Amino acid sequence: MNKCVLLLAVILLLPACSKKEESAQAMMSPATLITVAQAQTKKLEIFEQTVGTMESLIDPSVGAEVSGKVIKVLAHAGQAVKKGQLIAVLDAVDYALQKREAQAEIGRIEALLSNQGRIVDRNQKLVQKNFISRNALDDASAQQNALRQQLEGAKAQLAAIEHNSAKTTVLSPIDGQVEKQIVSPGDFVKQGDVLFQLIGTQRLRAHLPFPEGVAAKLHSGQTVRLVTPTAPDKVYTTTIKEIKPLVGSSNRAVDVIADVVDQEGWQGGASVNAWWFWASIRKP
């Protein structure tokens, strides 16, 4: 009888022990983390993308300002040049000889003028003493004035020679690159002959062909972002400068113009990727 009672007690205690073990295991299991964030409204931009080309706005032809033989060529196709950099030298021997001749003429006239000045001073004293007539003094003064005019003309001629002599050194008028070298050492050039073709990089213009379907939404002053393969790490933000009124017959697109100023690595003739942002919305 006692054994039956003991067995019954053990059976009754088993469920209770099982529930305690389950409760303990539940308390020991790791908790599930829940992150709570506040809902925010974000701005989404709507844009149109296109691929255009870069145009250089400054591409001067550097010509010879005086005639002469080319002695040195210091810039070549593809080379970067700075404004004021020496890029070619013409023969200046003739101008050096002309300068010496002009200086000698100036010296001759100055000597005559000095002597004539003494004659005028002497004649003035003689007129005061009534030794010579007034006409003799007037003639001497007229010759003095004529020599002064000759001296001014000789000095002007010397200045012109020096000015032309300075033009035998050809300087780059801009910061840019040499697109074409036309002359070589030994060539004889006349005044006005083209020596180099340069392309400026300080001021460029992007031609962006956008589809005719968005033409009505395009306006001057809207933001565009530009990237070119010659400077892939730089995103240049600018605005639309103007919109050409005609739609291209070959591509059915409008030509949108945007300027690029003082961007290192950007080059005329290169392609350019453009993003035009025409609207923005807020989305939760």
Side-chain angles (χ1 to χ4, degrees):
M1 182 66 179
N2 290 334
K3 292 180 178 180
C4 293
V5 173
L6 180 60
L7 180 59
L8 180 60
V10 171
I11 293 172
L12 293 174
L13 288 173
L14 285 175
C17 292
S18 177
K19 290 181 180 180
K20 290 181 179 180
E21 290 177 359
E22 291 177 358
S23 177
Q25 291 177 357
M27 293 178 63
M28 294 175 62
S29 62
T32 301
L33 298 177
I34 300 175
T35 302
V36 179
Q38 186 177 359
Q40 296 180 350
T41 301
K42 293 184 177 180
K43 182 179 179 180
L44 299 180
E45 293 179 320
I46 303 174
F47 62 87
E48 186 80 27
Q49 185 177 0
T50 189
V51 178
T53 58
M54 299 300 302
E55 174 195 6
S56 176
L57 295 180
I58 306 174
D59 52 353
S61 297
V62 181
E65 297 186 68
V66 293
S67 299
K69 184 172 71 173
V70 179
I71 301 300
K72 294 180 181 179
V73 175
L74 304 174
H76 308 282
Q79 180 179 337
V81 293
K82 294 292 185 180
K83 183 177 181 180
Q85 179 179 333
L86 180 65
I87 57 178
V89 179
L90 305 182
D91 188 3
V93 172
D94 289 344
Y95 294 105
L97 296 175
Q98 292 175 17
K99 180 178 179 180
R100 290 174 58 185
E101 182 181 0
Q103 288 174 334
E105 178 66 10
I106 289 174
R108 185 186 71 84
I109 297 174
E110 286 178 339
L112 292 175
L113 186 59
S114 177
N115 182 65
Q116 190 65 27
R118 289 192 292 271
I119 293 174
V120 170
D121 291 341
R122 184 172 62 251
N123 286 355
Q124 286 177 341
K125 294 177 182 178
L126 294 175
V127 167
Q128 292 174 356
K129 296 179 181 179
N130 294 321
F131 289 163
I132 62 173
S133 67
R134 183 73 185 182
N135 290 336
L137 175 61
D138 292 341
D139 290 342
S141 298
Q143 292 180 16
Q144 184 184 38
N145 291 333
L147 288 172
R148 286 172 178 167
Q149 294 298 321
Q150 291 181 27
L151 180 60
E152 290 299 319
K155 288 182 177 179
Q157 185 177 8
L158 176 61
I161 293 171
E162 291 176 339
H163 181 66
N164 288 332
S165 178
K167 293 178 181 179
T168 58
T169 56
V170 183
L171 308 178
S172 172
I174 62 168
D175 292 340
Q177 288 185 321
V178 180
E179 180 186 16
K180 186 182 296 185
Q181 172 197 336
I182 300 174
V183 297
S184 299
D187 290 346
F188 184 86
V189 295
K190 300 186 295 297
Q191 185 178 10
D193 287 350
V194 177
L195 310 178
F196 300 92
Q197 188 74 40
L198 304 184
I199 295 181
T201 56
Q202 289 183 315
R203 190 173 182 85
L204 303 173
R205 174 160 291 176
H207 290 269
L208 311 173
F210 282 102
E212 59 181 346
V214 299
K217 300 175 183 177
L218 290 164
H219 301 288
S220 298
Q222 290 177 325
T223 299
V224 287
R225 294 175 189 165
L226 307 177
V227 175
T228 184
T230 59
D233 298 331
K234 298 178 182 178
V235 178
Y236 183 72
T237 301
T238 184
T239 57
I240 295 175
K241 181 179 180 63
E242 62 177 294
I243 303 165
K244 298 296 183 181
L246 296 178
V247 176
S249 58
S250 59
N251 58 3
R252 312 310 303 173
V254 290
D255 187 14
V256 176
I257 305 300
D259 286 347
V260 177
V261 181
D262 291 332
Q263 293 299 304
E264 185 178 357
W266 290 62
Q267 297 180 4
S271 62
V272 58
N273 294 321
W275 291 266
W276 162 59
F277 297 87
W278 60 271
S280 62
I281 61 174
R282 292 191 174 274
K283 185 177 181 180

